[in-house]
Coordinates of all heavy atoms in Angstrom, one line a residue:
C1 N 202.3 139.6 222.9 CA 201.6 138.6 223.8 C 202.1 138.7 225.3 O 201.3 138.7 226.2 CB 201.9 137.2 223.3 SG 201.0 136.7 221.8
Y2 N 203.4 139.0 225.5 CA 204.0 139.2 226.8 C 203.4 140.4 227.4 O 203.1 140.4 228.6 CB 205.5 139.2 226.7 CG 206.2 139.5 228.0 CD1 206.3 138.6 229.0 CD2 206.7 140.8 228.2 CE1 206.9 138.8 230.2 CE2 207.4 141.1 229.4 CZ 207.4 140.1 230.4 OH 208.0 140.4 231.7
T3 N 203.4 141.5 226.7 CA 202.9 142.8 227.2 C 201.4 142.7 227.6 O 201.0 143.1 228.6 CB 203.1 143.9 226.1 OG1 204.5 144.0 225.7 CG2 202.7 145.3 226.7
N4 N 200.6 142.1 226.6 CA 199.2 141.9 226.9 C 199.0 141.0 228.1 O 198.0 141.2 228.9 CB 198.5 141.4 225.7 CG 198.4 142.4 224.6 OD1 198.5 143.6 224.9 ND2 198.1 141.9 223.4
H5 N 199.8 140.0 228.3 CA 199.6 139.0 229.4 C 199.8 139.8 230.7 O 199.0 139.6 231.7 CB 200.6 137.9 229.3 CG 200.5 136.9 230.4 ND1 199.4 136.1 230.5 CD2 201.4 136.6 231.4 CE1 199.6 135.3 231.6 NE2 200.8 135.6 232.1
K6 N 200.8 140.6 230.7 CA 201.0 141.4 232.0 C 199.8 142.3 232.3 O 199.5 142.5 233.4 CB 202.4 142.3 231.9 CG 203.6 141.3 232.0 CD 204.9 142.2 231.8 CE 205.0 143.1 233.1 NZ 206.2 143.9 233.1
A7 N 199.4 143.0 231.3 CA 198.3 143.9 231.5 C 197.0 143.2 231.9 O 196.2 143.7 232.7 CB 198.0 144.7 230.2
T8 N 196.7 142.1 231.3 CA 195.6 141.3 231.6 C 195.6 140.8 233.1 O 194.6 140.8 233.8 CB 195.4 140.1 230.7 OG1 195.4 140.5 229.3 CG2 194.2 139.3 231.0
L9 N 196.8 140.4 233.5 CA 196.9 139.9 234.9 C 196.6 141.0 235.9 O 195.9 140.9 237.0 CB 198.3 139.4 235.2 CG 198.6 138.0 234.6 CD1 200.1 137.6 234.8 CD2 197.7 136.9 235.1
K10 N 197.0 142.3 235.5 CA 196.8 143.4 236.4 C 195.3 143.7 236.5 O 194.8 144.0 237.6 CB 197.5 144.6 235.8 CG 197.3 145.9 236.7 CD 198.1 147.0 236.1 CE 197.9 148.3 236.9 NZ 198.7 149.4 236.3
Y11 N 194.5 143.6 235.4 CA 193.1 143.9 235.5 C 192.3 142.7 236.1 O 191.3 143.0 236.8 CB 192.6 144.1 234.0 CG 192.9 145.5 233.5 CD1 193.8 145.5 232.3 CD2 192.5 146.6 234.0 CE1 194.1 146.8 231.8 CE2 192.9 147.8 233.6 CZ 193.6 147.9 232.4 OH 194.0 149.1 231.9
I12 N 192.7 141.5 235.9 CA 192.0 140.4 236.4 C 191.9 140.5 237.9 O 190.9 140.0 238.5 CB 192.6 139.0 235.9 CG1 192.3 138.8 234.4 CG2 192.1 137.9 236.7 CD1 192.9 137.6 233.8
K13 N 192.9 141.0 238.6 CA 192.9 141.1 240.1 C 191.7 141.9 240.5 O 191.3 141.6 241.6 CB 194.3 141.7 240.5 CG 195.5 140.9 240.3 CD 196.7 141.6 240.7 CE 198.0 140.7 240.5 NZ 199.2 141.5 241.0
T14 N 191.2 142.8 239.7 CA 190.2 143.6 240.2 C 188.8 143.2 239.7 O 187.8 143.8 239.9 CB 190.4 145.1 239.7 OG1 190.5 145.2 238.3 CG2 191.7 145.7 240.4
E15 N 188.8 142.2 238.8 CA 187.6 141.7 238.1 C 187.2 140.4 238.7 O 188.0 139.4 238.6 CB 187.7 141.6 236.6 CG 186.5 141.3 235.9 CD 185.5 142.5 235.9 OE1 185.9 143.6 236.2 OE2 184.3 142.2 235.7
T16 N 186.2 140.3 239.5 CA 185.8 139.1 240.2 C 185.0 138.1 239.4 O 185.0 136.9 239.6 CB 185.1 139.4 241.5 OG1 183.9 140.1 241.2 CG2 185.9 140.2 242.5
Q17 N 184.2 138.6 238.4 CA 183.4 137.7 237.6 C 183.7 138.0 236.2 O 183.8 139.1 235.7 CB 181.9 138.0 237.9 CG 181.4 137.6 239.3 CD 180.0 137.9 239.4 OE1 179.4 138.6 238.7 NE2 179.4 137.3 240.4
K18 N 183.8 136.9 235.4 CA 184.0 137.0 233.9 C 182.8 137.7 233.3 O 183.0 138.5 232.4 CB 184.2 135.7 233.3 CG 184.5 135.7 231.8 CD 184.8 134.4 231.2 CE 185.0 134.5 229.8 NZ 185.4 133.2 229.1
H19 N 181.6 137.4 233.6 CA 180.4 137.9 233.0 C 179.8 138.9 233.9 O 178.6 138.8 234.3 CB 179.4 136.7 232.6 CG 180.1 135.7 231.8 ND1 180.4 135.9 230.5 CD2 180.5 134.4 232.1 CE1 180.9 134.8 230.0 NE2 181.0 133.9 231.0
G20 N 180.5 139.9 234.2 CA 180.0 141.0 235.0 C 179.2 142.0 234.2 O 178.8 141.7 233.1
N21 N 179.1 143.3 234.7 CA 178.5 144.3 234.0 C 179.2 144.7 232.7 O 180.4 144.8 232.6 CB 178.4 145.6 234.9 CG 177.6 146.7 234.2 OD1 178.2 147.4 233.5 ND2 176.3 146.7 234.4
V22 N 178.5 144.8 231.6 CA 179.2 144.9 230.3 C 179.9 146.3 230.3 O 181.0 146.4 229.6 CB 178.1 145.0 229.2 CG1 178.7 145.4 227.8 CG2 177.5 143.6 229.0
C23 N 179.4 147.3 230.9 CA 180.0 148.7 230.9 C 181.4 148.5 231.5 O 182.4 149.0 230.9 CB 179.2 149.7 231.7 SG 177.9 150.5 230.8
S24 N 181.5 147.9 232.7 CA 182.9 147.8 233.3 C 183.8 146.9 232.5 O 185.0 147.2 232.4 CB 182.7 147.1 234.7 OG 182.2 145.8 234.6
M25 N 183.3 145.9 231.8 CA 184.1 145.0 231.0 C 184.7 145.8 229.8 O 185.8 145.7 229.5 CB 183.3 143.8 230.5 CG 183.1 142.7 231.6 SD 182.7 141.1 230.8 CE 181.2 141.6 230.0
L26 N 183.8 146.5 229.1 CA 184.2 147.2 228.0 C 185.2 148.4 228.4 O 186.1 148.7 227.6 CB 183.1 147.8 227.2 CG 182.3 146.8 226.4 CD1 181.0 147.5 225.8 CD2 183.1 146.1 225.4
N27 N 185.1 148.9 229.6 CA 185.9 150.0 230.0 C 187.3 149.5 230.4 O 188.3 150.2 230.1 CB 185.3 150.7 231.2 CG 184.2 151.6 230.9 OD1 184.0 152.0 229.7 ND2 183.3 151.9 231.8
Y28 N 187.4 148.3 230.9 CA 188.7 147.9 231.3 C 189.4 147.0 230.3 O 190.6 147.0 230.2 CB 188.7 147.1 232.7 CG 188.5 145.7 232.6 CD1 189.5 144.8 232.5 CD2 187.2 145.1 232.8 CE1 189.4 143.4 232.4 CE2 187.0 143.8 232.8 CZ 188.1 142.9 232.6 OH 187.9 141.6 232.6
D29 N 188.7 146.2 229.6 CA 189.3 145.2 228.6 C 188.2 144.8 227.7 O 187.4 144.0 228.1 CB 190.0 144.1 229.4 CG 190.7 143.2 228.4 OD1 190.7 143.5 227.2 OD2 191.3 142.2 228.9
G30 N 188.3 145.1 226.4 CA 187.3 144.7 225.4 C 187.4 143.3 225.1 O 186.5 142.8 224.5
T31 N 188.5 142.5 225.4 CA 188.7 141.2 225.0 C 187.6 140.3 225.5 O 187.0 139.5 224.8 CB 190.1 140.7 225.4 OG1 191.1 141.6 224.9 CG2 190.3 139.3 224.8
I32 N 187.4 140.3 226.8 CA 186.4 139.4 227.4 C 185.0 139.7 226.8 O 184.2 138.8 226.4 CB 186.4 139.6 228.9 CG1 187.7 139.1 229.6 CG2 185.2 138.8 229.6 CD1 187.8 139.2 231.0
A33 N 184.6 141.0 226.7 CA 183.3 141.3 226.2 C 183.3 140.8 224.7 O 182.2 140.3 224.3 CB 183.1 142.8 226.2
Y34 N 184.3 141.0 224.0 CA 184.3 140.5 222.6 C 184.1 139.1 222.4 O 183.2 138.6 221.6 CB 185.7 140.9 221.9 CG 185.7 140.4 220.5 CD1 185.2 141.1 219.4 CD2 186.5 139.2 220.2 CE1 185.2 140.6 218.1 CE2 186.6 138.8 218.9 CZ 186.0 139.5 217.9 OH 186.1 139.0 216.6
E35 N 184.7 138.3 223.3 CA 184.6 136.8 223.2 C 183.2 136.4 223.7 O 182.6 135.5 223.1 CB 185.6 136.2 224.2 CG 187.0 136.4 223.7 CD 188.1 135.7 224.6 OE1 187.7 135.4 225.8 OE2 189.3 135.7 224.3
D36 N 182.7 137.1 224.6 CA 181.3 136.8 225.1 C 180.2 137.0 224.0 O 179.4 136.2 223.8 CB 180.9 137.6 226.3 CG 181.6 137.2 227.6 OD1 182.1 136.0 227.5 OD2 181.7 137.9 228.6
F37 N 180.4 138.1 223.3 CA 179.5 138.5 222.3 C 179.6 137.5 221.1 O 178.6 137.2 220.5 CB 179.6 139.9 221.8 CG 179.1 140.9 222.9 CD1 179.9 141.9 223.3 CD2 177.9 140.7 223.5 CE1 179.5 142.8 224.2 CE2 177.4 141.6 224.5 CZ 178.3 142.7 224.8
I38 N 180.8 137.2 220.8 CA 181.0 136.3 219.6 C 180.4 134.8 220.0 O 179.7 134.3 219.1 CB 182.6 136.1 219.3 CG1 183.1 137.3 218.8 CG2 182.8 134.9 218.4 CD1 182.5 137.7 217.4
T39 N 180.5 134.4 221.2 CA 180.0 133.1 221.6 C 178.4 133.2 221.6 O 177.7 132.3 221.2 CB 180.5 132.8 223.0 OG1 181.9 132.7 223.0 CG2 179.8 131.5 223.5
A40 N 177.9 134.3 222.2 CA 176.5 134.5 222.2 C 175.7 134.5 220.9 O 174.6 134.1 220.8 CB 176.1 135.8 223.0
T41 N 176.5 135.1 219.8 CA 175.9 135.2 218.5 C 176.4 134.0 217.5 O 176.1 134.1 216.4 CB 176.1 136.5 217.9 OG1 177.5 136.7 217.8 CG2 175.5 137.6 218.7
E42 N 177.3 133.2 218.1 CA 177.9 132.1 217.3 C 178.6 132.7 216.1 O 178.3 132.4 214.9 CB 176.9 131.1 216.8 CG 176.2 130.3 218.0 CD 175.2 129.3 217.5 OE1 175.3 128.7 216.4 OE2 174.2 129.0 218.2
D43 N 179.4 133.7 216.4 CA 180.2 134.4 215.4 C 179.2 135.2 214.4 O 179.4 135.1 213.2 CB 181.2 133.5 214.6 CG 182.3 134.4 214.0 OD1 182.4 135.6 214.2 OD2 183.0 133.7 213.2
F44 N 178.2 135.9 214.9 CA 177.2 136.6 214.2 C 176.6 135.8 213.1 O 176.5 136.1 212.0 CB 178.0 137.8 213.5 CG 178.5 138.8 214.5 CD1 179.8 138.8 214.8 CD2 177.6 139.7 215.1 CE1 180.3 139.7 215.7 CE2 178.0 140.6 216.0 CZ 179.4 140.6 216.4
D45 N 176.0 134.7 213.6 CA 175.2 133.8 212.7 C 173.9 134.5 212.3 O 173.4 135.2 213.1 CB 174.9 132.5 213.5 CG 174.3 131.4 212.6 OD1 173.1 131.5 212.3 OD2 175.0 130.6 212.1
L46 N 173.5 134.2 211.1 CA 172.3 134.9 210.6 C 171.1 134.7 211.4 O 170.2 135.5 211.4 CB 172.1 134.5 209.2 CG 171.1 135.2 208.3 CD1 171.5 136.7 208.2 CD2 170.8 134.6 206.9
K47 N 171.0 133.6 212.2 CA 169.8 133.3 212.9 C 169.6 134.3 214.1 O 168.5 134.4 214.7 CB 169.7 131.9 213.4 CG 170.9 131.6 214.4 CD 170.8 130.0 214.8 CE 171.9 129.7 215.8 NZ 171.9 128.2 216.1
Y48 N 170.6 135.0 214.5 CA 170.6 136.0 215.5 C 170.3 137.4 215.0 O 170.2 138.3 215.8 CB 171.8 136.0 216.4 CG 172.0 134.7 217.1 CD1 172.9 133.7 216.6 CD2 171.4 134.4 218.3 CE1 173.1 132.5 217.3 CE2 171.5 133.2 219.0 CZ 172.5 132.3 218.5 OH 172.6 131.1 219.1

C-alpha cells in the first residue's frame, strides 16, 4: 500500500481529470479505469 501510494501520487500530478481519455488512463494506471468500468456496469450486472 505504501509503495502504490507513492506511485499513485506521482501519476496524479500529471493527470488533471479523473475521467479523461481511456487510453491515457489505461497506459498510466489501470486502477482508475477499472473502478470507472466497474461503476458503469454495476460490477458487470446482467442488464448491461
